[in-house]
């Protein structure tokens, strides 16, 4: 019988950490990049919109902009190759790129819209995680950390969010699988589930004017500054290799999540 390799003890590196952020052109991704640069990380910015990535980077010397469609396997491979070429390794991936998709229930959503939402939120996250794991396995010292951006919809969905909700439940499975399979290589994986931070996606949900509730009513919901979400992500990213956070939930105080509906 083939034995599984013993878990490798993570090795510490005293140099500047290298962080790859997908969906870095706006919202949570932009806030994480800017906080990471101030904190001293070397940061690789990935996303489809080059101008938005450049605006996020603000010409910072420790920032590398790599326009990337996370659904394209070749582009994802090039992303990690360029990260290694510039900075020598990858210590952390913040798997953040995502879309809410159409506000529709299961009998309404088209197959095209379903596939498009899962392609970004799930398949794109898988491809980026795979690229990060391969890189972290090869580098010396071996190992690293992946932080997946889930959602509180991974716990409790909003009405009419079937594709988004399914993708975020699946993200939890991806997180746990990576954490398990990465142990032998000193690779850890955790998930942050964020609720109602102030970003552009909140406008699409009408949170500020009246978000749809489970009983059919609409309710103005509280939000919290995106800088606080970024602070939570960086707290996970800066943990020593000997520790990890498997799941972290951060929401606006008083939002309808516990007891939603």
């Amino acid at each position: 019988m083939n034995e599984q390799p013993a878990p490798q003890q993570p090795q510490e590196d005293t140099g500047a950490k290298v962080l790859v952020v997908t969906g870095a052109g706006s919202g949570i991704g932009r806030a994480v990049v800017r906080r990471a640069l101030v904190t001293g990380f070397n940061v690789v910015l990935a996303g489809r919109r080059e101008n938005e990535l450049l605006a996020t980077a603000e010409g910072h010397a420790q920032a590398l902009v790599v326009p990337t469609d996370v659904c394209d396997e070749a582009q994802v491979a090039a992303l990690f190759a360029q990260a290694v070429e510039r900075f020598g390794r990858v210590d952390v991936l913040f798997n953040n790129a995502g879309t809410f998709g159409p506000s529709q229930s299961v009998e309404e959503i088209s197959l095209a819209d379903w596939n498009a939402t899962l392609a970004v939120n799930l398949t794109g996250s898988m491809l980026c995680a795979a690229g990060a794991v391969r890189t972290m396995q090869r580098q010396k010292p071996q190992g690293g950390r992946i932080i997946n951006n889930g959602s509180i919809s991974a716990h409790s969905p909003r009405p009419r969010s079937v594709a988004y909700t399914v993708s975020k439940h699946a993200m939890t499975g991806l997180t746990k699988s990576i954490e398990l399979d990465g142990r032998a290589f000193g690779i850890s994986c955790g998930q942050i589930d964020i609720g109602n931070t102030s970003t552009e996606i909140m406008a699409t949900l009408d949170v500020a004017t009246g978000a749809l509730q489970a009983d059919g009513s609409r309710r103005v919901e509280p939000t919290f500054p995106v800088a606080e979400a970024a602070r939570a992500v960086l707290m996970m990213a800066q943990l020593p290799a000997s520790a990890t956070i498997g799941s972290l939930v951060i929401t606006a105080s008083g939002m309808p999540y516990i007891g939603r509906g």
Side-chain angles (χ1 to χ4, degrees):
M1 185 175 74
N2 292 329
E3 293 185 359
Q4 292 294 320
Q8 175 173 310
Q9 200 63 17
Q11 301 179 56
E12 301 291 349
D13 177 20
T14 56
K17 300 294 185 183
V18 181
L19 168 66
V20 175
V21 179
T22 66
S26 62
I28 296 169
R30 172 171 283 179
V32 167
V33 167
R34 288 180 173 170
R35 186 173 186 91
L37 288 170
V38 169
T39 306
F41 278 83
N42 295 316
V43 184
V44 183
L45 293 75
R48 289 181 295 182
R49 299 172 297 170
E50 184 175 13
N51 288 340
E52 295 302 316
L53 297 176
L54 291 170
T56 299
E58 296 180 316
H60 200 291
Q62 290 174 258
L64 172 65
V65 168
V66 184
T68 307
D69 180 350
V70 298
C71 299
D72 186 309
E73 188 173 16
Q75 291 188 39
V76 171
L79 165 66
F80 286 95
Q82 289 184 58
V84 171
E85 181 180 1
R86 170 72 178 273
F87 296 120
R89 60 183 291 113
V90 171
D91 295 290
V92 185
L93 164 66
F94 180 41
N95 228 347
N96 170 69
T99 178
F100 193 76
S103 179
Q104 292 177 328
S105 56
V106 69
E107 81 280 10
E108 297 171 325
I109 193 167
S110 70
L111 180 59
D113 284 339
W114 169 272
N115 285 340
T117 305
L118 266 65
V120 176
N121 293 359
L122 185 55
T123 303
S125 295
M126 180 278 291
L127 289 173
C128 290
V133 167
R134 292 185 189 111
T135 301
M136 293 169 180
Q137 287 175 337
R138 290 192 298 262
Q139 63 196 15
K140 296 188 183 305
Q142 194 178 57
R145 186 184 308 277
I146 296 171
I147 303 169
N148 288 330
N149 191 359
S151 167
I152 60 168
S153 288
H155 305 266
S156 181
R158 288 186 179 276
R160 299 172 59 80
S161 65
V162 62
Y164 181 79
T165 295
V166 168
S167 72
K168 294 305 182 180
H169 274 72
M171 180 73 91
T172 301
L174 179 66
T175 298
K176 292 178 178 179
S177 292
I178 295 167
E179 168 64 23
L180 179 60
D181 296 336
R183 287 178 183 174
F185 308 101
I187 299 168
S188 64
C189 186
Q191 181 167 318
I192 183 167
D193 297 323
I194 301 170
N196 282 18
T197 192
S198 299
T199 60
E200 295 88 340
I201 196 171
M202 288 295 101
T204 69
L205 299 176
D206 298 320
V207 165
T209 56
L212 183 63
Q213 305 297 308
D215 63 1
S217 65
R218 290 190 174 272
R219 175 178 173 181
V220 175
E221 297 181 4
T223 60
F224 72 101
V226 69
E228 296 304 321
R231 188 153 68 102
V233 173
L234 264 294
M235 181 268 291
M236 296 175 73
Q238 290 176 292
L239 283 174
S242 56
T244 189
I245 293 174
S247 176
L248 188 154
V249 178
I250 179 170
T251 73
S253 298
M255 73 166 290
Y257 164 54
I258 302 299
R260 180 182 281 190

